[in-house]
Amino acid sequence: AKVPRQNLYPRWLNIEMGVDTEDQKLHGPAEKLPVIPLNPREKHTQPIVDFNLEENLLQYVRPSRWVSINVGDFPLLRFNWVVSLLASAILWIFIIIVLTAKDNAQGLNVALLEFNNKWQSWITQNFTWFYIFTQDAWCVFVVYIAFSKYGKIKLGKDDEKPAFSDFSWFVMLFCSGIAVGFYFFGVREPLSYYRASYSNVLYKPGFMNDDQRAQQALFITLYHWGIHAWACYIIVAMVLGFVAFRWDRPLTLRQAFFPLVGHVVDGFLGDIIDSVAMACTTFGVCTSLGFGVMTIVNGLRRMDCEGGINCISNVPKNDGSHNAKVWQVSTIWIITLIATISVVTGIRRGIKALSLIAFGLGNLLLVMLLFTD
């Protein structure tokens, strides 16, 4: 008996396409097949698509939205102006609101204070349950994928080999993801929870003595930086890796929704997804960059003071003064320049090399802290 087609997928996914042999055996011939608009088996065997070639990329971008600027024979700029405009608008709205807000008597920005004291607290109090639930759900899903039959699916063509070793992949992922947070919060976060006393919003009845508060501090820290944190990265990596490297789609976040809505992601909906992703990524990178800069400047001051922090030094304290801001902004420019050179030179020569150097220096610092006096 043949399986009824109309009951397999939602009606809005009806898309005309060819049917492979296995599907014909199961369903019989038909002009419409309600599935993702491509033939996965064909994609798995055909050559890899090189998206460094503009003609391949333009198959997935509306021509009216693509900007291509050359200087002679050198390709200077390539971008989707709609995505860039929407992302820039989101960022600049936030920047303008903060810059136009007044400072209070203590010199603190009123807009940032309202966000920290009001909106962030409101979100934390009302949606912590949702945050914990989704993180747990993603962890369970990732573990299921890893140990099920789907865990054997290669995120690439059937005959492809990994571009880098496991160690290189780990180093690049670590340095691009949580390395700065590890160094900034590694000791500070558990001690902050432990020492915050009963005024801390994380304090709950049942954790009354000192030992229980220490255990709770470690539990929360491991929750933030352990498997639950990596599950978020893994979910995105699996979806994008599968769609991009097995189905030959461009490596943009909109393509993660391709299995759900098909070619709709090539239109304005995809532009919105990519622009929001760019803005949110920028906010996250700026946060990590700010933490890293504060750590570097404070470290330079301690080195200049030869171990003491209350001394006369050319490196200022992080006290919000003009001199401190000059040091911080200068450090940001230097880090941004190094990061830009790393990105422009590509993954193999730039990001990989910089990640290996940073990972090596970081581990050297840990060994020195452990074995030197």
Side-chain angles (χ1 to χ4, degrees):
K2 296 178 180 179
V3 181
R5 293 175 173 278
Q6 64 272 18
N7 296 330
L8 290 177
Y9 300 94
R11 182 176 298 175
W12 52 270
L13 270 179
N14 286 346
I15 301 168
E16 295 186 5
M17 62 168 288
V19 184
D20 63 19
T21 305
E22 293 297 323
D23 191 86
Q24 289 177 351
K25 292 179 181 178
L26 180 62
H27 302 294
E31 294 182 358
K32 288 188 176 182
L33 180 64
V35 294
I36 301 165
L38 54 78
N39 188 330
R41 297 186 180 185
E42 179 182 336
K43 288 289 185 180
H44 298 170
T45 57
Q46 69 186 32
I48 303 171
V49 176
D50 184 7
F51 285 108
N52 290 320
L53 301 177
E54 191 172 0
E55 56 268 23
N56 292 332
L57 190 60
L58 286 175
Q59 298 178 28
Y60 305 95
V61 182
R62 304 286 174 86
S64 59
R65 297 174 185 174
W66 187 248
V67 175
S68 178
I69 301 176
N70 297 330
V71 177
D73 295 330
F74 179 75
L76 181 63
L77 286 176
R78 301 285 189 274
F79 64 96
N80 183 324
W81 69 269
V82 175
V83 173
S84 300
L85 181 63
L86 291 174
S88 299
I90 296 173
L91 294 171
W92 276 107
I93 288 173
F94 177 82
I95 293 171
I96 291 171
I97 291 175
V98 173
L99 291 180
T100 55
K102 298 181 180 180
D103 293 342
N104 61 12
Q106 290 75 33
L108 302 175
N109 189 280
V110 175
L112 293 179
L113 280 177
E114 181 178 359
F115 174 78
N116 289 331
N117 298 334
K118 181 179 179 181
W119 295 110
Q120 188 177 24
S121 298
W122 182 84
I123 292 172
T124 301
Q125 294 297 328
N126 291 279
F127 290 99
T128 294
W129 68 270
F130 182 72
Y131 176 79
I132 294 176
F133 170 76
T134 52
Q135 295 286 88
D136 290 341
W138 292 338
C139 278
V140 172
F141 177 73
V142 167
V143 172
Y144 164 74
I145 290 294
F147 291 98
S148 69
K149 61 180 181 180
Y150 304 108
K152 299 179 181 179
I153 296 177
K154 182 182 292 186
L155 297 181
K157 304 295 184 181
D158 291 336
D159 57 348
E160 275 191 279
K161 301 297 181 182
F164 304 99
S165 65
D166 292 343
F167 178 75
S168 296
W169 276 120
F170 172 77
V171 169
M172 287 189 286
L173 289 172
F174 181 81
C175 292
S176 300
I178 61 175
V180 172
F182 257 33
Y183 276 88
F184 190 85
F185 288 110
V187 176
R188 176 180 177 177
E189 184 168 343
L191 288 178
S192 176
Y193 298 148
Y194 172 67
R195 291 179 172 179
S197 187
Y198 303 109
S199 61
N200 193 310
V201 294
L202 293 171
Y203 170 75
K204 303 293 181 184
F207 298 93
M208 302 299 293
N209 60 45
D210 190 74
D211 181 66
Q212 290 172 331
R213 287 173 55 201
Q215 292 291 337
Q216 180 74 344
L218 290 176
F219 287 158
I220 298 171
T221 302
L222 291 175
Y223 176 79
H224 285 164
W225 299 98
I227 298 175
H228 287 79
W230 281 102
C232 305
Y233 294 107
I234 294 171
I235 289 288
V236 178
M238 284 195 303
V239 177
L240 286 181
F242 188 87
V243 174
F245 299 120
R246 284 188 75 84
W247 290 358
D248 299 319
R249 307 287 299 183
L251 194 60
T252 57
L253 197 62
R254 71 171 71 192
Q255 301 302 331
F257 296 85
F258 177 73
L260 298 177
V261 298
H263 289 297
V264 176
V265 298
D266 296 332
F268 187 65
L269 175 63
D271 293 337
I272 294 176
I273 294 172
D274 279 350
S275 59
V276 172
M278 288 175 61
C280 292
T281 302
T282 303
F283 285 129
V285 170
C286 289
T287 302
S288 298
L289 183 60
F291 289 148
V293 166
M294 292 170 60
T295 303
I296 291 173
V297 174
N298 288 334
L300 290 174
R301 177 177 175 81
R302 291 186 69 90
M303 292 174 61
D304 190 42
C305 290
E306 297 181 356
I309 193 168
N310 296 317
C311 68
I312 299 176
S313 171
N314 294 323
V315 184
K317 293 183 179 180
N318 184 25
D319 54 5
S321 64
H322 175 73
N323 194 23
K325 292 179 180 179
V326 170
W327 272 81
Q328 292 169 357
V329 171
S330 300
T331 306
I332 289 174
W333 274 108
I334 294 173
I335 294 176
T336 303
L337 176 62
I338 296 173
T340 302
I341 295 174
S342 174
V343 172
V344 170
T345 53
I347 294 181
R348 293 183 179 277
R349 290 180 296 176
I351 296 176
K352 178 184 175 181
L354 185 61
S355 298
L356 289 172
I357 293 172
F359 190 78
L361 292 176
N363 280 278
L364 176 62
L365 175 61
L366 293 179
V367 173
M368 292 174 62
L369 291 174
L370 184 62
F371 291 105
T372 59
D373 188 356

